[in-house]
Amino acid sequence: MFKRLLIAIVLLGLIVGGIVWFKFFRDDMIAQFMAGAVPPPVPVTVLEVQPQSWEPGFEAVGTAIAARGVDLATESSGLVRSIDFKGNAEVVEDQVLVQIDDRAEKAGLAAGEAALAVAVAEASRAETLTTRGVGAANTLESAEAQVESARAQVAQLQAALDARQLRAPFAGVIGIPRVEVGQYVVPGTIYATLQDLDRMYVDFTVPEQQLSSLELGREVTVRTEVGAFDATGRIIAIEPQVDPNSRLAKVRAEVDNPEGKLLPGQFLRVRVSLPVEEGVIAVPQTAIVSSLYGSYTYVLQGEGDALTAAQVFVQTGRRNGGQIEVTEGLAAGDRVVTSGQNRLSNGAKVAIDTSVDLSTGE
């Protein structure tokens, strides 16, 4: 009985010992294999750094404003008899837009013209009598004064009559009518908006630090968030004061809008272009990695199959589109990694991926 128990214990010990030995043997073999394995080169895209022309500038947000745009309002009170325009129609200067009831004014003008005719006749008669020597000079002067008074009265009545016809002050695009036929309006009632869309102002603000780089006539580029409107204009005015609360100054540019795509009030992205600088070191923004320790990039070292990536810390400056200026850390001729950095470490082997054409961005 004891002998059988001893044999079972020995066999169990051999089995357990074999399992433990196999585990350590397997782990040792895996460690040896991994220690001797060479990781494959990491595929990356590369761009050779070259000095380039740099067009500096800064971005701002602006609002479109019509160069000529007004809310049209009535000059007198009365009933609207007719509306002679449709919304979004193009109107010409002095075109009649709204007719207000003018029957009383027409009657008054007719009476005034009749009174003028009587005054003229009286003055003519008084002049004849004075010429013949049978009329007093003061009688002629009084008659002539009556004529001038009657003419002034007619002019006043004509002005009142003209005020009943609401006309376009300039050519442009009229908005939606805000009054209806038969509606009673009072002076100041807005009946439509009129906008000249051929030329547009763009108002935007810039920080006070940028004021020194602005001047009248400097080029700006504007674009909308929607509608695909893109145009180039010029700065025409700079506010001669800075808002003490926001520390911003107001700037106005002018752009052409021949097709009327840009509408007053639209939100715009504005870029102010500054003089071109030569010999600036700049790389794609994808080549720069930001970390808690600073910005860095990877520069290729070696040739052929012995390419490695070296981590280089850099000082960055201005941004322009997809480019970023590098003020320290890179020199002309350096080959920087533009993609694939997430798999790199300092000294890692790399292989250049030629399937991406960096010249076209594909």
Side-chain angles (χ1 to χ4, degrees), residues 103-274:
R103 289 174 294 181
E105 285 72 18
K106 285 182 178 179
L109 180 60
E113 290 174 342
L116 174 61
V118 172
V120 170
E122 291 291 339
S124 178
R125 186 178 302 107
E127 183 179 6
T128 301
L129 294 175
T130 303
T131 303
R132 294 177 179 178
V134 295
N138 61 346
T139 302
L140 176 59
E141 292 175 357
S142 177
E144 289 177 344
Q146 289 295 327
V147 170
E148 294 302 320
S149 176
R151 283 178 178 164
Q153 184 68 21
V154 168
Q156 182 179 9
L157 292 171
Q158 183 64 56
L161 180 62
D162 292 341
R164 315 300 279 182
Q165 280 189 333
L166 309 180
R167 299 174 178 269
F170 53 83
V173 178
I174 194 80
I176 300 172
R178 303 188 191 179
V179 295
E180 299 292 341
V181 174
Q183 179 179 343
Y184 185 86
V185 295
V186 297
T189 301
I190 295 176
Y191 62 90
T193 182
L194 179 62
Q195 305 290 332
D196 180 2
L197 302 181
D198 290 338
R199 292 181 302 114
M200 300 293 289
Y201 292 147
V202 178
D203 285 356
F204 59 97
T205 55
V206 299
E208 60 180 331
Q209 296 87 345
Q210 301 287 358
L211 278 177
S212 60
S213 62
L214 294 182
E215 60 184 11
L216 298 181
R218 185 167 297 285
E219 185 177 281
V220 300
T221 302
V222 301
R223 60 181 177 85
T224 55
E225 292 289 294
V226 294
F229 177 85
D230 196 332
T232 300
R234 301 282 176 181
I235 293 177
I236 62 171
I238 302 173
E239 194 74 55
Q241 67 175 2
V242 176
D243 188 327
N245 297 318
S246 63
R247 302 302 176 186
L248 298 174
K250 188 176 181 179
V251 181
R252 172 169 288 181
E254 185 179 45
V255 299
D256 290 332
N257 186 34
E259 298 181 4
K261 292 183 177 179
L262 185 60
L263 300 177
Q266 278 194 276
F267 173 85
L268 295 171
R269 296 285 184 183
V270 182
R271 175 175 173 78
V272 180
S273 300
L274 301 178

Side-chain angles (χ1 to χ4, degrees), residues 74 76-85 97-103 164 166 177-186 189-191:
T74 58
S76 57
S77 59
L79 291 176
V80 176
R81 290 303 183 190
S82 66
I83 299 175
D84 303 318
F85 69 91
L97 302 175
V98 175
Q99 177 67 59
I100 298 177
D101 185 24
D102 59 359
R103 289 174 294 181
R164 315 300 279 182
L166 309 180
R178 303 188 191 179
V179 295
E180 299 292 341
V181 174
Q183 179 179 343
Y184 185 86
V185 295
V186 297
T189 301
I190 295 176
Y191 62 90

